Short mmCIF file of all heavy atoms in Angstrom, two decimals:
data_model
loop_
_atom_site.label_atom_id
_atom_site.label_comp_id
_atom_site.label_asym_id
_atom_site.label_seq_id
_atom_site.Cartn_x
_atom_site.Cartn_y
_atom_site.Cartn_z
N ILE A 46 20.22 5.20 7.14
CA ILE A 46 20.03 4.66 5.81
C ILE A 46 19.71 3.17 5.94
O ILE A 46 20.41 2.44 6.63
CB ILE A 46 21.30 4.86 4.95
CG1 ILE A 46 21.61 6.35 4.81
CG2 ILE A 46 21.13 4.21 3.59
CD1 ILE A 46 22.95 6.63 4.16
N LEU A 47 18.66 2.74 5.27
CA LEU A 47 18.29 1.34 5.30
C LEU A 47 19.15 0.54 4.34
O LEU A 47 19.60 1.06 3.32
CB LEU A 47 16.81 1.17 4.91
CG LEU A 47 15.79 1.86 5.81
CD1 LEU A 47 14.38 1.64 5.27
CD2 LEU A 47 15.89 1.35 7.23
N LYS A 48 19.38 -0.72 4.66
CA LYS A 48 20.18 -1.57 3.78
C LYS A 48 19.47 -1.80 2.45
O LYS A 48 20.10 -1.81 1.40
CB LYS A 48 20.47 -2.92 4.45
CG LYS A 48 21.42 -2.82 5.61
CD LYS A 48 21.66 -4.18 6.23
CE LYS A 48 22.57 -4.04 7.44
NZ LYS A 48 22.78 -5.32 8.10
N THR A 49 18.17 -2.00 2.50
CA THR A 49 17.38 -2.19 1.29
C THR A 49 16.54 -0.94 1.07
O THR A 49 15.67 -0.63 1.89
CB THR A 49 16.44 -3.41 1.43
OG1 THR A 49 17.23 -4.54 1.76
CG2 THR A 49 15.67 -3.67 0.17
N THR A 50 16.81 -0.24 -0.01
CA THR A 50 16.10 1.01 -0.26
C THR A 50 15.03 0.88 -1.34
O THR A 50 14.33 1.84 -1.62
CB THR A 50 17.09 2.12 -0.66
OG1 THR A 50 17.77 1.72 -1.84
CG2 THR A 50 18.06 2.41 0.46
N GLU A 51 14.92 -0.28 -1.96
CA GLU A 51 13.90 -0.48 -2.97
C GLU A 51 13.26 -1.85 -2.79
O GLU A 51 13.95 -2.85 -2.60
CB GLU A 51 14.51 -0.35 -4.37
CG GLU A 51 13.48 -0.21 -5.45
CD GLU A 51 14.08 0.20 -6.79
OE1 GLU A 51 15.20 0.72 -6.82
OE2 GLU A 51 13.39 0.00 -7.79
N PHE A 52 11.94 -1.89 -2.81
CA PHE A 52 11.22 -3.14 -2.65
C PHE A 52 9.86 -3.01 -3.31
O PHE A 52 9.49 -1.94 -3.80
CB PHE A 52 11.09 -3.53 -1.17
CG PHE A 52 10.47 -2.48 -0.30
CD1 PHE A 52 9.10 -2.46 -0.09
CD2 PHE A 52 11.25 -1.51 0.31
CE1 PHE A 52 8.53 -1.48 0.73
CE2 PHE A 52 10.69 -0.55 1.13
CZ PHE A 52 9.32 -0.54 1.33
N SER A 53 9.10 -4.10 -3.34
CA SER A 53 7.76 -4.11 -3.94
C SER A 53 6.73 -4.43 -2.89
O SER A 53 7.02 -5.09 -1.90
CB SER A 53 7.63 -5.18 -5.01
OG SER A 53 8.72 -5.31 -5.80
N ALA A 54 5.51 -3.99 -3.17
CA ALA A 54 4.37 -4.31 -2.30
C ALA A 54 3.13 -4.43 -3.18
O ALA A 54 3.10 -3.88 -4.28
CB ALA A 54 4.18 -3.22 -1.25
N ASN A 55 2.13 -5.14 -2.70
CA ASN A 55 0.88 -5.26 -3.44
C ASN A 55 0.21 -3.91 -3.57
O ASN A 55 0.17 -3.13 -2.60
CB ASN A 55 -0.08 -6.23 -2.75
CG ASN A 55 0.34 -7.67 -2.90
OD1 ASN A 55 0.97 -8.03 -3.89
ND2 ASN A 55 -0.02 -8.48 -1.94
N SER A 56 -0.34 -3.64 -4.73
CA SER A 56 -1.01 -2.36 -4.95
C SER A 56 -2.25 -2.21 -4.08
O SER A 56 -2.68 -1.10 -3.79
CB SER A 56 -1.37 -2.19 -6.43
OG SER A 56 -2.29 -3.17 -6.83
N SER A 57 -2.82 -3.32 -3.64
CA SER A 57 -4.01 -3.25 -2.79
C SER A 57 -3.68 -3.03 -1.31
O SER A 57 -4.57 -2.81 -0.50
CB SER A 57 -4.84 -4.53 -2.94
OG SER A 57 -4.08 -5.65 -2.57
N SER A 58 -2.39 -3.07 -0.96
CA SER A 58 -1.98 -2.85 0.44
C SER A 58 -2.16 -1.40 0.83
O SER A 58 -2.10 -0.50 0.00
CB SER A 58 -0.51 -3.23 0.63
OG SER A 58 -0.31 -4.59 0.40
N GLN A 59 -2.33 -1.18 2.11
CA GLN A 59 -2.46 0.18 2.62
C GLN A 59 -1.08 0.76 2.94
O GLN A 59 -0.13 0.03 3.19
CB GLN A 59 -3.33 0.20 3.86
CG GLN A 59 -4.77 -0.18 3.58
CD GLN A 59 -5.63 -0.08 4.81
OE1 GLN A 59 -5.16 -0.10 5.94
NE2 GLN A 59 -6.93 0.03 4.59
N PHE A 60 -1.01 2.09 2.95
CA PHE A 60 0.25 2.78 3.25
C PHE A 60 0.74 2.44 4.66
O PHE A 60 1.94 2.46 4.92
CB PHE A 60 0.06 4.29 3.08
CG PHE A 60 1.34 5.05 3.13
CD1 PHE A 60 2.29 4.94 2.13
CD2 PHE A 60 1.63 5.89 4.20
CE1 PHE A 60 3.48 5.64 2.18
CE2 PHE A 60 2.82 6.59 4.26
CZ PHE A 60 3.75 6.46 3.24
N SER A 61 -0.17 2.10 5.56
CA SER A 61 0.22 1.74 6.93
C SER A 61 1.20 0.58 6.94
O SER A 61 2.04 0.47 7.82
CB SER A 61 -1.01 1.41 7.77
OG SER A 61 -1.69 0.30 7.24
N ARG A 62 1.11 -0.28 5.96
CA ARG A 62 2.03 -1.42 5.86
C ARG A 62 3.46 -0.95 5.62
O ARG A 62 4.41 -1.51 6.16
CB ARG A 62 1.56 -2.31 4.72
CG ARG A 62 2.11 -3.66 4.81
CD ARG A 62 1.17 -4.68 4.30
NE ARG A 62 1.93 -5.90 4.45
CZ ARG A 62 1.78 -6.96 3.74
NH1 ARG A 62 0.88 -6.98 2.81
NH2 ARG A 62 2.52 -8.00 3.94
N ILE A 63 3.62 0.10 4.83
CA ILE A 63 4.94 0.66 4.56
C ILE A 63 5.46 1.34 5.83
O ILE A 63 6.64 1.22 6.17
CB ILE A 63 4.89 1.66 3.38
CG1 ILE A 63 4.33 0.97 2.13
CG2 ILE A 63 6.25 2.26 3.12
CD1 ILE A 63 5.07 -0.27 1.70
N ILE A 64 4.58 2.04 6.52
CA ILE A 64 4.96 2.69 7.78
C ILE A 64 5.50 1.64 8.76
O ILE A 64 6.59 1.81 9.34
CB ILE A 64 3.77 3.44 8.40
CG1 ILE A 64 3.32 4.59 7.50
CG2 ILE A 64 4.11 3.96 9.80
CD1 ILE A 64 2.00 5.22 7.89
N GLN A 65 4.76 0.56 8.93
CA GLN A 65 5.18 -0.50 9.86
C GLN A 65 6.50 -1.13 9.43
O GLN A 65 7.36 -1.40 10.27
CB GLN A 65 4.10 -1.58 9.95
CG GLN A 65 2.83 -1.11 10.59
CD GLN A 65 1.70 -2.10 10.42
OE1 GLN A 65 1.79 -3.07 9.68
NE2 GLN A 65 0.58 -1.84 11.10
N HIS A 66 6.67 -1.36 8.14
CA HIS A 66 7.89 -1.99 7.62
C HIS A 66 9.12 -1.11 7.91
O HIS A 66 10.13 -1.61 8.43
CB HIS A 66 7.74 -2.23 6.12
CG HIS A 66 8.97 -2.75 5.47
ND1 HIS A 66 9.39 -4.06 5.59
CD2 HIS A 66 9.91 -2.13 4.69
CE1 HIS A 66 10.51 -4.22 4.91
NE2 HIS A 66 10.85 -3.07 4.36
N ILE A 67 9.02 0.16 7.59
CA ILE A 67 10.17 1.05 7.78
C ILE A 67 10.44 1.27 9.26
O ILE A 67 11.60 1.27 9.69
CB ILE A 67 9.96 2.38 7.02
CG1 ILE A 67 9.97 2.08 5.50
CG2 ILE A 67 11.02 3.41 7.38
CD1 ILE A 67 9.66 3.25 4.62
N GLN A 68 9.40 1.43 10.07
CA GLN A 68 9.62 1.59 11.51
C GLN A 68 10.30 0.35 12.09
O GLN A 68 11.21 0.47 12.91
CB GLN A 68 8.30 1.83 12.24
CG GLN A 68 7.84 3.25 12.17
CD GLN A 68 6.61 3.51 13.03
OE1 GLN A 68 5.84 2.61 13.34
NE2 GLN A 68 6.42 4.78 13.38
N ALA A 69 9.89 -0.81 11.67
CA ALA A 69 10.49 -2.05 12.18
C ALA A 69 11.97 -2.11 11.81
O ALA A 69 12.80 -2.52 12.63
CB ALA A 69 9.75 -3.26 11.62
N LYS A 70 12.31 -1.72 10.60
CA LYS A 70 13.72 -1.74 10.17
C LYS A 70 14.55 -0.74 10.96
O LYS A 70 15.67 -1.04 11.38
CB LYS A 70 13.83 -1.41 8.67
CG LYS A 70 13.20 -2.43 7.77
CD LYS A 70 13.99 -3.70 7.78
CE LYS A 70 13.38 -4.71 6.83
NZ LYS A 70 14.03 -6.00 6.89
N ILE A 71 14.03 0.45 11.19
CA ILE A 71 14.79 1.48 11.91
C ILE A 71 14.90 1.14 13.39
O ILE A 71 15.94 1.35 14.02
CB ILE A 71 14.14 2.86 11.71
CG1 ILE A 71 14.37 3.30 10.25
CG2 ILE A 71 14.69 3.90 12.68
CD1 ILE A 71 13.72 4.59 9.88
N ARG A 72 13.86 0.56 13.97
CA ARG A 72 13.86 0.27 15.40
C ARG A 72 14.73 -0.92 15.78
O ARG A 72 14.89 -1.22 16.96
CB ARG A 72 12.43 0.05 15.89
CG ARG A 72 11.64 1.35 15.91
CD ARG A 72 10.24 1.13 16.36
NE ARG A 72 9.52 2.40 16.44
CZ ARG A 72 8.24 2.49 16.65
NH1 ARG A 72 7.52 1.40 16.84
NH2 ARG A 72 7.66 3.68 16.69
N THR A 73 15.33 -1.60 14.81
CA THR A 73 16.24 -2.69 15.15
C THR A 73 17.55 -2.15 15.72
O THR A 73 18.25 -2.84 16.44
CB THR A 73 16.56 -3.57 13.92
OG1 THR A 73 17.13 -2.77 12.89
CG2 THR A 73 15.31 -4.26 13.40
N SER A 74 17.86 -0.91 15.42
CA SER A 74 19.07 -0.27 15.94
C SER A 74 18.83 0.15 17.39
O SER A 74 17.78 0.69 17.73
CB SER A 74 19.40 0.97 15.10
OG SER A 74 20.32 1.80 15.77
N GLU A 75 19.81 -0.09 18.23
CA GLU A 75 19.70 0.28 19.66
C GLU A 75 19.49 1.78 19.83
O GLU A 75 18.76 2.23 20.71
CB GLU A 75 20.96 -0.18 20.40
CG GLU A 75 20.87 -0.02 21.90
CD GLU A 75 19.77 -0.86 22.55
OE1 GLU A 75 19.50 -1.96 22.09
OE2 GLU A 75 19.18 -0.37 23.54
N ASN A 76 20.09 2.58 18.96
CA ASN A 76 19.98 4.04 19.06
C ASN A 76 18.59 4.55 18.68
O ASN A 76 18.23 5.66 19.03
CB ASN A 76 21.00 4.72 18.15
CG ASN A 76 22.42 4.44 18.58
OD1 ASN A 76 22.68 4.11 19.73
ND2 ASN A 76 23.35 4.55 17.65
N HIS A 77 17.84 3.75 17.93
CA HIS A 77 16.55 4.22 17.42
C HIS A 77 15.39 3.31 17.83
O HIS A 77 14.36 3.30 17.17
CB HIS A 77 16.62 4.31 15.89
CG HIS A 77 17.64 5.25 15.39
ND1 HIS A 77 18.94 4.86 15.13
CD2 HIS A 77 17.59 6.58 15.12
CE1 HIS A 77 19.63 5.89 14.71
NE2 HIS A 77 18.83 6.95 14.69
N LYS A 78 15.54 2.58 18.93
CA LYS A 78 14.51 1.59 19.28
C LYS A 78 13.16 2.21 19.62
O LYS A 78 12.13 1.56 19.50
CB LYS A 78 14.98 0.69 20.42
CG LYS A 78 15.17 1.38 21.73
CD LYS A 78 15.62 0.41 22.79
CE LYS A 78 15.79 1.16 24.10
NZ LYS A 78 16.14 0.27 25.17
N ASP A 79 13.12 3.48 20.02
CA ASP A 79 11.86 4.16 20.33
C ASP A 79 11.54 5.26 19.33
O ASP A 79 10.70 6.12 19.58
CB ASP A 79 11.92 4.77 21.74
CG ASP A 79 12.05 3.71 22.81
OD1 ASP A 79 11.46 2.62 22.64
OD2 ASP A 79 12.76 3.96 23.81
N ALA A 80 12.19 5.23 18.19
CA ALA A 80 12.05 6.31 17.20
C ALA A 80 10.64 6.36 16.62
O ALA A 80 10.01 5.34 16.39
CB ALA A 80 13.05 6.11 16.08
N VAL A 81 10.18 7.57 16.40
CA VAL A 81 8.94 7.80 15.67
C VAL A 81 9.36 8.18 14.26
O VAL A 81 10.13 9.12 14.07
CB VAL A 81 8.11 8.94 16.31
CG1 VAL A 81 6.89 9.24 15.47
CG2 VAL A 81 7.72 8.56 17.73
N VAL A 82 8.88 7.44 13.30
CA VAL A 82 9.29 7.67 11.91
C VAL A 82 8.17 8.37 11.16
O VAL A 82 7.01 7.98 11.26
CB VAL A 82 9.64 6.33 11.22
CG1 VAL A 82 10.10 6.56 9.81
CG2 VAL A 82 10.70 5.59 12.02
N HIS A 83 8.52 9.42 10.44
CA HIS A 83 7.57 10.18 9.63
C HIS A 83 7.84 9.87 8.17
O HIS A 83 8.99 9.94 7.73
CB HIS A 83 7.72 11.68 9.89
CG HIS A 83 7.50 12.05 11.32
ND1 HIS A 83 6.26 12.28 11.84
CD2 HIS A 83 8.38 12.21 12.35
CE1 HIS A 83 6.37 12.57 13.13
NE2 HIS A 83 7.65 12.53 13.46
N LEU A 84 6.80 9.52 7.42
CA LEU A 84 6.94 9.19 6.01
C LEU A 84 6.23 10.21 5.14
O LEU A 84 5.16 10.71 5.51
CB LEU A 84 6.37 7.79 5.73
CG LEU A 84 7.31 6.63 6.03
CD1 LEU A 84 7.53 6.47 7.50
CD2 LEU A 84 6.78 5.37 5.44
N PHE A 85 6.84 10.49 4.00
CA PHE A 85 6.32 11.49 3.08
C PHE A 85 6.41 10.95 1.66
O PHE A 85 7.29 10.16 1.34
CB PHE A 85 7.14 12.78 3.16
CG PHE A 85 7.22 13.34 4.55
CD1 PHE A 85 8.27 12.99 5.40
CD2 PHE A 85 6.25 14.19 5.02
CE1 PHE A 85 8.34 13.49 6.69
CE2 PHE A 85 6.31 14.69 6.32
CZ PHE A 85 7.37 14.34 7.15
N ILE A 86 5.51 11.40 0.82
CA ILE A 86 5.54 11.06 -0.59
C ILE A 86 6.14 12.24 -1.35
O ILE A 86 5.68 13.37 -1.21
CB ILE A 86 4.12 10.76 -1.13
CG1 ILE A 86 3.49 9.59 -0.39
CG2 ILE A 86 4.14 10.52 -2.64
CD1 ILE A 86 4.14 8.26 -0.62
N ASN A 87 7.15 11.96 -2.16
CA ASN A 87 7.79 12.97 -3.02
C ASN A 87 8.17 14.24 -2.27
O ASN A 87 7.98 15.35 -2.77
CB ASN A 87 6.90 13.31 -4.21
CG ASN A 87 6.74 12.15 -5.15
OD1 ASN A 87 7.53 11.21 -5.14
ND2 ASN A 87 5.72 12.19 -5.98
N GLN A 88 8.68 14.12 -1.09
CA GLN A 88 9.14 15.25 -0.28
C GLN A 88 8.09 16.33 -0.10
O GLN A 88 8.40 17.50 0.00
CB GLN A 88 10.38 15.89 -0.92
CG GLN A 88 11.56 14.97 -1.03
CD GLN A 88 12.76 15.64 -1.65
OE1 GLN A 88 12.70 16.76 -2.16
NE2 GLN A 88 13.89 14.96 -1.61
N SER A 89 6.81 15.92 -0.03
CA SER A 89 5.81 16.97 0.09
C SER A 89 4.72 16.71 1.11
O SER A 89 4.35 17.62 1.83
CB SER A 89 5.18 17.24 -1.28
OG SER A 89 4.58 16.08 -1.79
N PHE A 90 4.16 15.51 1.20
CA PHE A 90 3.03 15.32 2.12
C PHE A 90 3.06 13.92 2.72
O PHE A 90 3.66 13.01 2.16
CB PHE A 90 1.69 15.56 1.41
CG PHE A 90 1.32 14.45 0.48
CD1 PHE A 90 0.42 13.47 0.87
CD2 PHE A 90 1.86 14.36 -0.79
CE1 PHE A 90 0.07 12.44 0.02
CE2 PHE A 90 1.52 13.33 -1.65
CZ PHE A 90 0.62 12.37 -1.24
N ALA A 91 2.41 13.79 3.85
CA ALA A 91 2.29 12.50 4.53
C ALA A 91 0.89 11.95 4.24
O ALA A 91 -0.10 12.52 4.68
CB ALA A 91 2.48 12.67 6.03
N PRO A 92 0.80 10.87 3.47
CA PRO A 92 -0.52 10.32 3.16
C PRO A 92 -1.17 9.66 4.38
O PRO A 92 -0.49 9.31 5.34
CB PRO A 92 -0.24 9.29 2.08
CG PRO A 92 1.18 8.93 2.24
CD PRO A 92 1.87 10.11 2.85
N SER A 93 -2.46 9.51 4.31
CA SER A 93 -3.20 8.82 5.36
C SER A 93 -2.78 7.35 5.38
O SER A 93 -2.56 6.76 4.33
CB SER A 93 -4.69 8.95 5.05
OG SER A 93 -5.44 8.17 5.93
N PRO A 94 -2.67 6.76 6.56
CA PRO A 94 -2.27 5.35 6.64
C PRO A 94 -3.20 4.39 5.89
O PRO A 94 -2.80 3.31 5.50
CB PRO A 94 -2.27 5.05 8.13
CG PRO A 94 -2.08 6.37 8.78
CD PRO A 94 -2.76 7.36 7.89
N ASP A 95 -4.46 4.78 5.67
CA ASP A 95 -5.38 3.88 5.00
C ASP A 95 -5.43 4.05 3.47
O ASP A 95 -6.20 3.40 2.79
CB ASP A 95 -6.78 3.98 5.59
CG ASP A 95 -7.42 5.34 5.40
OD1 ASP A 95 -6.71 6.29 5.02
OD2 ASP A 95 -8.63 5.46 5.66
N GLU A 96 -4.57 4.91 2.94
CA GLU A 96 -4.48 5.07 1.48
C GLU A 96 -3.93 3.80 0.86
O GLU A 96 -3.00 3.19 1.40
CB GLU A 96 -3.54 6.22 1.11
CG GLU A 96 -4.09 7.58 1.37
CD GLU A 96 -5.11 8.02 0.34
OE1 GLU A 96 -5.14 7.48 -0.79
OE2 GLU A 96 -5.90 8.91 0.67
N GLN A 97 -4.48 3.41 -0.28
CA GLN A 97 -3.97 2.23 -0.97
C GLN A 97 -2.73 2.60 -1.78
O GLN A 97 -2.67 3.67 -2.40
CB GLN A 97 -5.03 1.64 -1.89
CG GLN A 97 -6.08 0.88 -1.14
CD GLN A 97 -6.89 -0.01 -2.06
OE1 GLN A 97 -6.95 0.20 -3.26
NE2 GLN A 97 -7.52 -1.00 -1.48
N LEU A 98 -1.75 1.70 -1.77
CA LEU A 98 -0.50 1.96 -2.48
C LEU A 98 -0.73 2.13 -3.98
O LEU A 98 -0.07 2.95 -4.62
CB LEU A 98 0.50 0.84 -2.23
CG LEU A 98 1.01 0.74 -0.80
CD1 LEU A 98 1.91 -0.47 -0.64
CD2 LEU A 98 1.74 2.00 -0.40
N GLY A 99 -1.65 1.38 -4.54
CA GLY A 99 -1.94 1.49 -5.97
C GLY A 99 -2.43 2.88 -6.34
O GLY A 99 -2.05 3.43 -7.38
N ASP A 100 -3.28 3.47 -5.49
CA ASP A 100 -3.79 4.82 -5.75
C ASP A 100 -2.67 5.84 -5.64
O ASP A 100 -2.57 6.75 -6.48
CB ASP A 100 -4.91 5.17 -4.78
CG ASP A 100 -6.14 4.31 -4.98
OD1 ASP A 100 -6.30 3.72 -6.08
OD2 ASP A 100 -6.95 4.19 -4.03
N LEU A 101 -1.83 5.72 -4.63
CA LEU A 101 -0.70 6.64 -4.48
C LEU A 101 0.24 6.52 -5.66
O LEU A 101 0.74 7.52 -6.19
CB LEU A 101 0.05 6.37 -3.16
CG LEU A 101 -0.70 6.72 -1.89
CD1 LEU A 101 0.03 6.16 -0.68
CD2 LEU A 101 -0.87 8.22 -1.77
N PHE A 102 0.47 5.29 -6.11
CA PHE A 102 1.37 5.06 -7.23
C PHE A 102 0.82 5.71 -8.50
O PHE A 102 1.56 6.37 -9.24
CB PHE A 102 1.57 3.56 -7.45
CG PHE A 102 2.48 3.23 -8.59
CD1 PHE A 102 3.85 3.30 -8.43
CD2 PHE A 102 1.97 2.85 -9.82
CE1 PHE A 102 4.70 3.00 -9.48
CE2 PHE A 102 2.81 2.55 -10.88
CZ PHE A 102 4.19 2.63 -10.71
N LYS A 103 -0.48 5.55 -8.76
CA LYS A 103 -1.08 6.14 -9.96
C LYS A 103 -0.92 7.65 -9.99
O LYS A 103 -0.69 8.24 -11.04
CB LYS A 103 -2.57 5.80 -10.04
CG LYS A 103 -2.85 4.38 -10.43
CD LYS A 103 -4.35 4.14 -10.42
CE LYS A 103 -4.65 2.67 -10.43
NZ LYS A 103 -6.08 2.41 -10.22
N CYS A 104 -1.05 8.29 -8.85
CA CYS A 104 -1.02 9.75 -8.78
C CYS A 104 0.39 10.33 -8.64
O CYS A 104 0.64 11.43 -9.13
CB CYS A 104 -1.86 10.23 -7.62
SG CYS A 104 -3.61 9.83 -7.78
#
Side-chain angles (χ1 to χ4, degrees):
I46 299 171
L47 299 178
K48 290 180 183 178
T49 305
T50 60
E51 194 168 341
F52 55 91
S53 320
N55 286 331
S56 63
S57 60
S58 296
Q59 294 183 340
F60 190 68
S61 62
R62 199 147 179 207
I63 303 304
I64 296 169
Q65 293 169 351
H66 175 76
I67 293 175
Q68 279 187 336
K70 295 290 182 185
I71 289 176
R72 289 179 177 172
T73 58
S74 164
E75 188 62 35
N76 295 338
H77 299 90
K78 66 179 180 177
D79 296 324
V81 175
V82 182
H83 301 275
L84 277 70
F85 305 92
I86 300 293
N87 293 341
Q88 299 180 351
S89 59
F90 74 99
S93 172
D95 64 348
E96 287 284 339
Q97 285 196 339
L98 293 176
D100 294 340
L101 291 169
F102 180 80
K103 285 178 196 172
C104 296

